Amino acid sequence: MLATALGAVLERHLDLVAPAQLGLWTLRGLAVIDPALQTELQSNTLLLSAPDRLLSARPVPALPASGPPEAAAPALASALAAMFDAAWRASPAIRQAGPEQMLRSGFEELFNHLDPYSRYMTPQEATAARARRIGQTGLGLRLAAGRGGAVVIASLTPDSPASEAGLRLGDQVLAVDGTPLSARDLAAAAALLEGPVGTEVTLRIQRGRRRFNAYLLRSTVPPETVHARRQEEILWLRLDGFSNATDTRLAELLQEGFSGTVPRGVVLDLRGNRGGLLGQAVAVASAFLADGVVARTSGRHPDAARTYISAGPDLARGVPLVVLVDGRTASAAEIVAAALSDRGRGVVLGSATTGKGLIQAVVPLPNGGELLVTWSRVLAPRGWPIQGLGVLPALCTSLGAEATAAALAQLRRGEAPMGRVLARLRAARAPVPGSEVAALRSACPPAEGRPADLATAQTLLEQAEAYDTALGR
């Protein structure tokens, strides 16, 4: 398993690191579990010591003079496996932690030195992540902590086992298959809900003073990620995330929204959207773009260089579009916002976004776990990197109501308050100096979305002159 994981890092990660350094960082995970263990690297030899003796010394390979860098992985993995075995025999703390924790700690220390997003997932975590990518296998409900330490139903998916069983928002879930739930460990509570498709689960529910059992049959529940409403001639669309059905559902709602009277504007709300599948980001952006580039990716691995093209057609028929973002908008949601902004299709409104523009390859491991390895960076259509910078709005709302009103007035006069900042953003190329990142993001600091953003979006759609200026026409 170590050979598979380290081979993937050597082959794909954005930065090529010497095998000896990778080995040292991984080995340091043992010292996190047992601080008495000491690790060193001397002349391409890894040393593992206890306070009174040397436990193991293993040479590690250098990068091959020719051929792929991952060729060094088997020898590196063999050296680490021997040192893990020496630590296991010498340290009671290591044995108490167990093999899985040894691996987790080693990978955590390794990835702490590489980037913020590469990580190791245990077999259990990988199974849950796969379910989220293809649609949650479960009951169609989400739990949250309620008052007094209760565990309550915080959301329900329409047409799911939970909704069909008559469960309601706010119902308290006392137990799952007889196991009591605690708000102190919601992760454990949620894990009890998961299980194979077709199996039954019993929930003990309290609703007011009444207690009863609800019997549900687990099924594959596609997460509901798209919501729509038509109000005051505006089609309001909200995307909570990107699952494998998001593009299909968005297309359906756009077709419904344009089936009668054509709305005079569309608002795409991506605030709080933490992202999801890259392919879905491209498909969602394509729903508003007739053709052309949506995004590009680049990296050290030859396959990391890709160009993503819109398949079209523009299902919103070119009507004015406002894209709402905030400081929690991330990843796939940022790709959509950047594409629509760079292509001049929509006006971005809100604050600077998270700035998560790195793509991870999912590497299956022999133990059933997965490794997420950052292997490419995302570039907006005009070539600037999303990582670190994030997406900046044409109309900033994070500086307060007075500043927002002043910016709207400028747009009505044909002046673009964020014009110079956006020009600098689009001229940036990776790697962007930290000082430039800070300067650009300070023009509209990241903040959580506000209810007033909706009214501001409506005002912008009602004022054609302001909208055209913000769009760059």
Side-chain angles (χ1 to χ4, degrees):
M1 195 192 76
L2 284 171
T4 301
L6 294 169
V9 174
L10 287 167
E11 177 189 14
R12 299 190 181 190
H13 194 270
L14 274 176
D15 301 313
L16 180 60
V17 179
Q21 198 63 60
L22 293 179
L24 178 62
W25 291 337
T26 304
L27 201 60
R28 284 177 178 170
L30 300 178
V32 172
I33 300 173
D34 185 352
L37 298 176
Q38 299 175 354
T39 59
E40 294 182 69
L41 177 63
Q42 294 182 3
S43 303
N44 278 345
T45 298
L46 286 173
L47 305 176
L48 176 67
S49 304
D52 55 345
R53 67 189 188 281
L54 177 67
L55 298 176
S56 181
R58 295 283 171 165
V60 292
L63 288 170
S66 61
E70 62 269 24
L76 175 59
S78 177
L80 285 174
M83 303 188 86
F84 273 43
D85 181 65
W88 179 272
R89 288 184 280 106
S91 170
I94 293 289
R95 292 194 295 274
Q96 183 177 3
E100 188 60 52
Q101 185 56 37
M102 288 176 68
L103 287 172
R104 178 191 287 274
S105 187
F107 284 128
E108 284 179 353
E109 284 301 300
L110 169 63
F111 290 132
N112 280 345
H113 291 84
L114 291 179
D115 70 88
Y117 305 113
S118 293
R119 66 188 180 96
Y120 165 71
M121 290 193 292
T122 66
Q124 294 78 14
E125 292 168 340
T127 298
R130 285 191 291 270
R132 287 192 296 272
R133 289 197 292 268
I134 64 173
Q136 182 179 357
T137 299
L139 309 172
L141 61 85
R142 181 173 62 83
L143 301 177
R147 293 181 179 178
V151 176
V152 299
I153 297 177
S155 68
L156 288 167
T157 301
D159 301 321
S160 67
S163 62
E164 291 177 355
L167 298 183
R168 303 175 186 174
L169 295 179
D171 281 350
Q172 182 177 349
V173 184
L174 303 175
V176 176
D177 286 335
T179 302
L181 303 188
S182 170
R184 294 181 179 179
D185 194 351
L186 286 176
L192 291 172
L193 301 178
E194 297 291 337
V197 173
T199 58
E200 189 178 73
V201 60
T202 303
L203 306 186
R204 185 64 174 169
I205 303 295
Q206 179 163 337
R207 182 181 297 162
R209 296 182 178 179
R210 179 187 170 209
R211 292 189 177 189
F212 60 94
N213 288 338
Y215 302 95
L216 289 78
L217 196 66
R218 293 184 176 97
S219 66
T220 300
V221 182
E224 187 65 53
T225 57
V226 190
H227 313 274
R229 62 184 173 92
R230 176 84 178 256
Q231 186 176 342
E232 299 184 16
E233 299 183 41
I234 296 175
L235 180 60
W236 301 83
L237 298 168
R238 176 170 179 82
L239 266 65
D240 296 328
F242 293 83
S243 73
N244 67 333
T246 298
D247 61 335
T248 302
R249 184 60 178 148
L250 176 64
E252 292 172 352
L253 293 173
L254 280 170
Q255 289 170 357
E256 291 176 9
F258 281 77
S259 61
T261 304
V262 175
R264 57 186 173 86
V266 176
V267 175
L268 180 63
D269 191 349
L270 300 176
R271 295 174 301 170
N273 187 318
R274 305 303 291 170
L277 302 172
L278 172 60
Q280 283 292 313
V282 175
V284 167
S286 295
F288 300 96
L289 295 169
D291 52 24
V293 175
V294 173
R296 294 184 174 88
T297 58
S298 67
R300 180 170 60 87
H301 193 280
D303 292 343
R306 299 180 181 180
T307 299
Y308 296 88
I309 303 294
S310 169
D314 179 359
L315 299 179
R317 305 184 191 178
V319 304
L321 171 67
V322 174
V323 183
L324 301 184
V325 300
D326 67 2
R328 298 186 68 248
T329 303
S331 188
E334 292 179 288
I335 292 172
V336 173
L340 298 177
S341 175
D342 265 19
R343 296 284 306 280
R345 178 60 185 90
V347 173
V348 177
L349 182 156
S351 77
T353 61
T354 299
K356 199 277 189 184
L358 298 178
I359 302 295
Q360 288 73 49
V362 180
V363 180
L365 298 176
N367 71 339
E370 290 179 347
L371 208 66
L372 302 185
V373 179
T374 295
W375 77 312
S376 62
R377 58 173 55 88
V378 180
L379 306 178
R382 298 197 187 189
W384 53 273
I386 292 175
Q387 177 63 24
L389 288 169
V391 180
L392 298 180
L395 177 54
C396 179
T397 63
S398 66
L399 297 175
E402 291 185 8
T404 300
L408 273 171
Q410 284 184 271
L411 290 171
R412 285 193 294 270
R413 295 195 300 267
E415 304 169 5
M418 291 287 290
R420 292 184 179 179
V421 174
L422 290 175
R424 283 174 59 185
L425 172 77
R426 289 164 176 162
R429 295 295 181 268
V432 184
S435 58
E436 179 68 356
V437 171
L440 289 170
R441 290 175 64 81
S442 67
C444 186
E448 190 169 351
R450 305 172 185 185
D453 292 347
L454 299 173
T456 304
Q458 182 172 342
T459 299
L460 191 60
L461 288 172
E462 291 170 346
Q463 299 177 357
E465 301 87 350
Y467 177 86
D468 288 344
T469 301
L471 198 62
R473 289 176 178 167

